[in-house]
Amino acid sequence: MSELVRPRRHHHTARPSGFMAWLRARRSELEYQAWVEEFTSQLRGVFREACQFTGLCHYISAAAGLTVRTPRVGNVVLGPPVSLTVELMPGQEPEDFRAPGQRIAHTLGGHGLRIERLSTRWLRLVLLDADPLGDPFPLPDVVVASGRESLLLGRGEDGTSLGHGIADAAHIAVQGQNGSGKSAFCYALLAQLAAADDVLIAGSDITGLLLGRAWGDTLHREWQTVGTRDLEAHALMLEALVAEMDRRLDTIPQRCDKVTATSATPTVLVVLEEFPGLLRAAASHPKPKSGKSLVERIVLAQLRLLSEGRKAAFRVLTLAQRFEATAVGGGYARDQFALRLSFRVPADSLVMLHGDEARPLGQEHAGAAPGIAYLSAPGRDCERIRVPYLGSYGEYCDRIARHGLTARVVDEEAAA
Ligand SMILES: Nc1ncnc2c1ncn2[C@@H]1O[C@H](COP(=O)(O)OP(=O)(O)OP(=O)(O)O)[C@@H](O)[C@H]1O
Ligand SMILES: [Mg+2]
């Protein structure tokens, strides 16, 4: 198969004048039209073969034997970017094109495929020349005033922004190899949240970079435990959070089935930076003669926050290089995370967190640049995004110092 080359008009520098110039221009126009026709027909053929190879086809058995039906191509637009309208076959949905999209795009000579629904039965497939997530995406200096407002999570391949409200009942799992951008993503998330009056940013961070010193004089700081010198302090802090959760669950007002966050009872975001590392460090702690080990205490507190916290306005944000069940407190704990992000990870880790639908994406994502992630959430397809970037660590510290909440305006009526 010869490579598909998008036809380009030959631009004449001088305006045609005289009969010979007119003839040259006319011939060049006819050549261009023939090129367009050949390209369009080749594109249709190659698209058909790609659909067949990737399983986007129906096999129909007829008297003459087995025939293959592929989605019908309507219009081909040269663009750039090249796009084609496609009629879905019975039983097909636009989502069916997502997983094989990149294979089809590569076959057609592009980088990726953007899928746009035109009507119930018609799609537009746009062939992207370059990775739309190739460029860094700086985080503007914005903060939310309340956890109910949407945080900027990232930008999808079609350029649309993705948001998430921390007050939404979802725990967040973030996995990625060394240097893939997990912490930087959380810098961007926490910097947006630092000023929200009805949010408390608590948690455990053995690295002491995401939480801790950067939060200096803010009122979040006293709920953050950092470092590895005093590992029991991490268990004690998580247990104190569980006690607060229990207190809230005991005092849920009548006729309510959940706590509504206010400045008096803020949404508590429990950040667990490098959680498997915390468990590993805790495992080397001497075991007590009786009672639970430090690891058991930490795992239990996390599990309780994960399983019961949603109703009490607790949200857990756990970071791990690999979200293996054993590394994050068991399969049940892992199942509690509704919002899941994977930065660069080996293909098997991607499938482990996002399920089988992510399998075709695995190979490419294993080499993803920092800041590029797959995101999945209930009712949302697994989607490739670029997360916003704050720049240097110093900038993170500056934003927390500038916006971090130092006092709450308590609404007496809501508190009562
Ligand atoms: N969104 C981004 N855009 C561009 N570059 C990024 C982005 N996120 C991270 N980087 C670059 O990648 C580097 C590593 O990022 P980060 O420290 O967040 O990785 P990590 O996944 O937390 O790694 P570790 O497991 O070692 O903690 C950053 O110092 C930065 O240079
Ligand atoms: Mg990190």
Side-chain angles (χ1 to χ4, degrees):
M1 188 181 84
S2 60
E3 200 180 331
L4 283 169
V5 181
R6 192 175 67 81
R8 284 177 182 79
R9 265 203 174 83
H10 179 72
H11 287 289
H12 297 277
T13 40
R15 283 174 149 262
S17 63
F19 177 71
M20 288 313 287
W22 177 85
L23 203 59
R24 241 192 342 263
R26 177 84 190 124
R27 196 178 60 201
S28 136
E29 181 57 26
L30 288 175
E31 279 170 1
Y32 172 75
Q33 292 303 340
W35 190 5
V36 168
E37 236 166 78
E38 191 192 330
F39 172 80
T40 309
S41 113
Q42 257 191 355
L43 191 86
R44 287 169 187 272
V46 174
F47 176 74
R48 183 179 154 79
E49 280 178 38
C51 285
Q52 199 174 336
F53 180 77
T54 55
L56 287 168
C57 60
H58 285 173
Y59 291 98
I60 299 159
S61 106
L66 205 60
T67 59
V68 184
R69 228 183 115 197
T70 51
R72 188 157 66 93
V73 176
N75 245 345
V76 174
V77 177
L78 284 189
V82 174
S83 69
L84 42 157
T85 56
V86 169
E87 188 182 18
L88 292 168
M89 293 191 300
Q92 254 180 358
E93 289 295 332
E95 290 70 40
D96 298 341
F97 284 76
R98 207 173 290 276
Q102 192 154 46
R103 285 166 189 264
I104 296 176
H106 287 170
T107 313
L108 299 179
H111 176 90
L113 212 56
R114 190 165 74 215
I115 302 156
E116 299 170 358
R117 192 194 267 272
L118 295 176
S119 67
T120 37
R121 300 309 320 151
W122 283 87
L123 293 181
R124 180 184 294 119
L125 301 177
V126 182
L127 196 62
L128 303 168
D129 285 339
D131 184 356
L133 305 182
D135 295 328
F137 162 28
L139 178 74
D141 195 1
V142 289
V143 287
V144 294
S146 159
R148 286 187 302 277
E149 289 176 28
S150 199
L151 301 171
L152 186 59
L153 279 188
R155 186 183 278 166
E157 289 186 329
D158 57 1
T160 53
S161 297
L162 281 136
H164 173 69
I166 212 70
D168 296 352
H171 301 305
I172 309 171
V174 179
Q175 72 166 356
Q177 287 176 317
N178 241 320
S180 58
K182 302 180 293 296
S183 300
F185 165 66
C186 293
Y187 296 157
L189 214 59
L190 300 192
Q192 295 179 68
L193 267 180
D197 195 45
D198 54 2
V199 175
L200 175 70
I201 294 160
S204 148
D205 176 8
I206 51 171
T207 70
L209 291 168
L210 183 55
L211 303 178
R213 217 169 43 185
W215 293 82
D217 301 324
T218 69
L219 50 71
H220 305 280
R221 179 67 186 90
E222 67 166 313
W223 288 93
Q224 302 177 350
T225 309
V226 297
T228 48
R229 218 171 300 155
D230 181 3
L231 287 166
E232 195 177 5
H234 292 262
L236 287 170
M237 196 272 308
L238 292 174
E239 286 163 350
L241 290 170
V242 171
E244 168 60 11
M245 175 185 79
D246 285 339
R247 190 193 65 75
R248 289 185 179 188
L249 289 173
D250 284 345
T251 55
I252 288 186
Q254 277 193 353
R255 300 174 61 79
C256 288
D257 62 355
K258 59 176 185 289
V259 170
T260 305
T262 62
S263 49
T265 46
T267 299
V268 181
L269 179 63
V270 184
V271 182
L272 302 173
E273 165 71 298
E274 194 42 54
F275 189 61
L278 172 66
L279 295 184
R280 269 195 306 275
S284 62
H285 204 257
K287 282 205 166 68
K289 291 208 175 59
S290 63
K292 292 191 175 62
S293 71
L294 200 55
V295 173
E296 287 166 342
R297 286 170 59 193
I298 293 170
V299 166
L300 180 66
Q302 185 223 204
L303 205 56
R304 291 219 47 216
L305 292 170
L306 282 171
S307 55
E308 297 155 64
R310 277 179 294 249
K311 287 193 176 66
F314 275 71
R315 308 285 178 260
V316 181
L317 165 62
T318 301
L319 290 85
Q321 298 216 347
R322 184 178 151 84
F323 239 84
E324 231 162 358
T326 49
V328 293
Y332 177 77
R334 191 176 60 194
D335 288 346
Q336 304 302 313
F337 293 93
L339 192 63
R340 298 164 175 217
L341 279 113
S342 288
F343 289 87
R344 185 188 63 245
V345 280
D348 62 328
S349 304
L350 193 72
V351 174
M352 186 178 64
L353 196 59
H354 302 271
D356 261 339
E357 68 160 317
R359 197 175 293 281
L361 317 167
Q363 198 185 356
E364 199 223 352
H365 195 55
I372 292 185
Y374 270 106
L375 175 141
S376 59
R380 224 170 185 171
D381 279 320
C382 192
E383 190 173 349
R384 186 167 173 267
I385 65 166
R386 174 133 209 158
V387 302
Y389 187 47
L390 264 178
S392 69
Y393 181 66
E395 176 62 21
Y396 172 58
C397 298
D398 291 347
R399 291 204 194 180
I400 301 300
R402 194 155 61 238
H403 304 299
L405 209 61
T406 50
R408 285 188 205 279
V409 184
V410 174
D411 177 346
E412 300 290 343
E413 228 169 86

